[in-house]
Amino acid sequence: MGALLDDLDDHEGFGARRLPDGTLTDSWTQETASFAAYVAACDCGWRGDEDRPPTEAGYEIALDDWERDHARPQLARTVPARVTRMIRDLRTEVGALAKERPAAAQQALSEVRAWTDAAMALTRGATPPPSRGGRPLRR
């Protein structure tokens, strides 16, 4: 069983197994029962670069690596689904309002612009954490 963070549904972290030949796998078979290490991995294809002991503690460390090095940086850049829904609903409502009462829509959009400018000022200078590339796993 992997690890998930709220609002990051497309990224499930787990400890991939490094086989004696150096390849990584996310499946368990008789062939993979003997493995050399756990490595942080994500179902999106990302993987960490540090080997962890092939123990339960090593698995937990790999999950911690996934969260710190991949999931948290991804989460910092991910717009929550509820916010995306609210933006979509706002577009729909203001679009309908513009057809019925253009002056009221202009007022609403003016308020949105003022709020947007203030929110953008709060985020200026903030840069998303870097994301490390992933390599595919053998399944």
Side-chain angles (χ1 to χ4, degrees), residues 1 7 19 21 24 26 28 47-48 50 58 64 66 70 72-73 77-79 88 91 97 105 115 117 124 128:
M1 184 170 157
D7 290 328
L19 302 179
D21 68 2
L24 288 177
D26 62 348
W28 187 95
R47 70 155 179 86
E50 293 189 47
D64 290 345
W66 165 81
H70 179 64
R72 291 289 170 186
R77 292 185 294 273
T78 300
V79 177
R88 183 190 62 228
R91 284 179 179 167
L97 184 60
W115 175 83
D117 291 345
R124 277 200 182 82

Side-chain angles (χ1 to χ4, degrees), residues 93-118:
E93 293 297 323
V94 173
L97 184 60
K99 290 177 184 174
E100 296 172 20
R101 297 184 291 174
Q106 281 184 342
Q107 177 61 35
L109 290 171
S110 177
E111 291 177 29
V112 169
R113 182 181 296 126
W115 175 83
T116 301
D117 291 345

Side-chain angles (χ1 to χ4, degrees), residues 1-5 8-16 25-26 39-48 59 63 66 70-71 74 134-139:
M1 184 170 157
L4 291 169
L5 296 181
L8 201 60
D9 298 334
D10 296 337
H11 296 270
E12 182 173 352
F14 60 95
T25 183
D26 62 348
V39 175
C42 184
D43 65 358
C44 74
W46 175 91
R47 70 155 179 86
Y59 184 84
L63 286 181
W66 165 81
H70 179 64
Q74 289 293 320
R135 296 187 190 131
L137 301 174
R138 186 176 96 185
R139 290 196 186 256

Side-chain angles (χ1 to χ4, degrees), residues 14-74:
F14 60 95
R17 291 175 178 86
R18 183 176 304 284
L19 302 179
D21 68 2
T23 60
L24 288 177
T25 183
D26 62 348
S27 62
W28 187 95
T29 64
Q30 195 64 27
E31 172 187 299
T32 64
S34 176
F35 62 99
Y38 280 114
V39 175
C42 184
D43 65 358
C44 74
W46 175 91
R47 70 155 179 86
D49 53 11
E50 293 189 47
D51 287 358
R52 301 304 184 185
T55 62
E56 181 137 349
Y59 184 84
E60 294 299 321
I61 294 168
L63 286 181
D64 290 345
D65 292 345
W66 165 81
E67 184 172 342
R68 180 192 64 242
D69 297 341
H70 179 64
R72 291 289 170 186
Q74 289 293 320

